[in-house]
């Protein structure tokens, strides 16, 4: 019994912490029940959930032939170029509606396989950063490049594994 009181105190502290530090009391009677408007923790949680849902872009269904490319993009590209392909600062250019590779889809392959160092101009804006090359198989480069060409408002197109292999062989 000498440990019962400290155990009970620790349990009360743990329960209080789990309940947001709210004081544990007997359940209020119906007349004492606070209205939904007067329960800030519930309203705050609902508001945060609604705001998060409003800010999070809707998940767009990706056609089956682009799924592998999207998976690669999500793992290797999204951190810098964003979920929407718009880039994030003066060193990280957009892929969305990017004129940088619109006229030459192999420029996209070059960027992925060789990386980029130094100044480039995308959509009329100059960017000066470093993009590392990514050690990927030809089919992975083709998949992610095809995904980018067909996403973010870009004009579409396809890059085959054979085109990536030929590019690497020529360089």
């Amino acid at each position: 019994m000498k440990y019962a009181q400290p155990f009970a105190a620790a349990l009360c502290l743990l329960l209080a912490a789990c309940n947001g530090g709210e004081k544990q009391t007997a359940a209020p009677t119906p007349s004492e029940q606070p209205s939904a408007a007067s329960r800030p923790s519930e309203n705050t949680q609902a508001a945060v959930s609604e705001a998060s849902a409003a800010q999070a872009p809707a998940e767009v269904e990706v056609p089956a032939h682009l799924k592998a490319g999207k998976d690669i993009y999500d793992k290797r590209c999204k951190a810098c170029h964003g979920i929407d392909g718009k880039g994030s600062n003066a060193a990280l250019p957009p892929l969305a509606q990017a004129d940088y590779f619109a006229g030459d889809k192999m420029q996209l392959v070059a960027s992925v396989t060789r990386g980029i160092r130094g100044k480039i101009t995308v959509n009329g804006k100059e960017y000066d950063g470093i993009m590392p090359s990514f050690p990927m198989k030809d089919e992975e480069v083709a998949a992610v490049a095809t995904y980018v060409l067909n996403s973010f408002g870009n004009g579409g197109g396809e890059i085959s594994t054979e085109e990536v292999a030929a590019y690497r062989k020529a360089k």
Side-chain angles (χ1 to χ4, degrees):
M1 284 308 253
K2 73 179 191 178
Y3 296 108
Q5 193 172 26
F7 178 76
L11 184 59
C12 286
L13 289 174
L14 180 62
L15 288 172
C18 290
N19 288 321
E22 294 177 11
K23 190 174 165 182
Q24 298 295 311
T25 60
T29 64
S31 63
E32 296 173 327
Q33 282 277 357
S35 69
S38 68
R39 286 183 255 156
S41 62
E42 290 178 24
N43 290 334
T44 303
Q45 288 172 344
V48 168
S49 295
E50 289 174 16
S52 296
Q55 290 175 349
E59 189 67 28
V60 177
E61 186 66 32
V62 177
H65 74 285
L66 299 177
K67 178 79 171 94
K70 181 185 185 324
D71 291 345
I72 295 166
Y73 181 87
D74 287 348
K75 289 176 188 163
R76 298 193 176 227
C77 312
K78 182 170 70 172
C80 293
H81 294 288
I83 193 168
D84 56 4
K86 292 183 179 177
S88 60
N89 63 34
L92 304 170
L95 299 175
Q97 301 175 334
D99 61 2
Y100 185 70
F101 52 80
D104 180 10
K105 66 183 182 178
M106 295 311 287
Q107 183 63 44
L108 183 55
V109 172
S111 300
V112 173
T113 58
R114 297 174 58 206
I116 299 173
R117 289 187 173 274
K119 294 179 182 179
I120 62 170
T121 302
V122 180
N123 299 340
K125 184 175 177 187
E126 193 172 88
Y127 294 86
D128 189 7
I130 296 173
M131 177 178 148
S133 60
F134 290 98
M136 290 193 275
K137 297 175 185 174
D138 293 346
E139 57 267 15
E140 293 173 314
V141 173
V144 74
T146 298
Y147 171 73
V148 170
L149 288 174
N150 289 279
S151 302
F152 315 124
N154 292 317
E158 190 165 333
I159 296 178
S160 69
T161 301
E162 294 77 22
E163 288 175 299
V164 175
Y167 172 81
R168 287 186 183 193
K169 188 175 183 181
K171 299 294 175 187

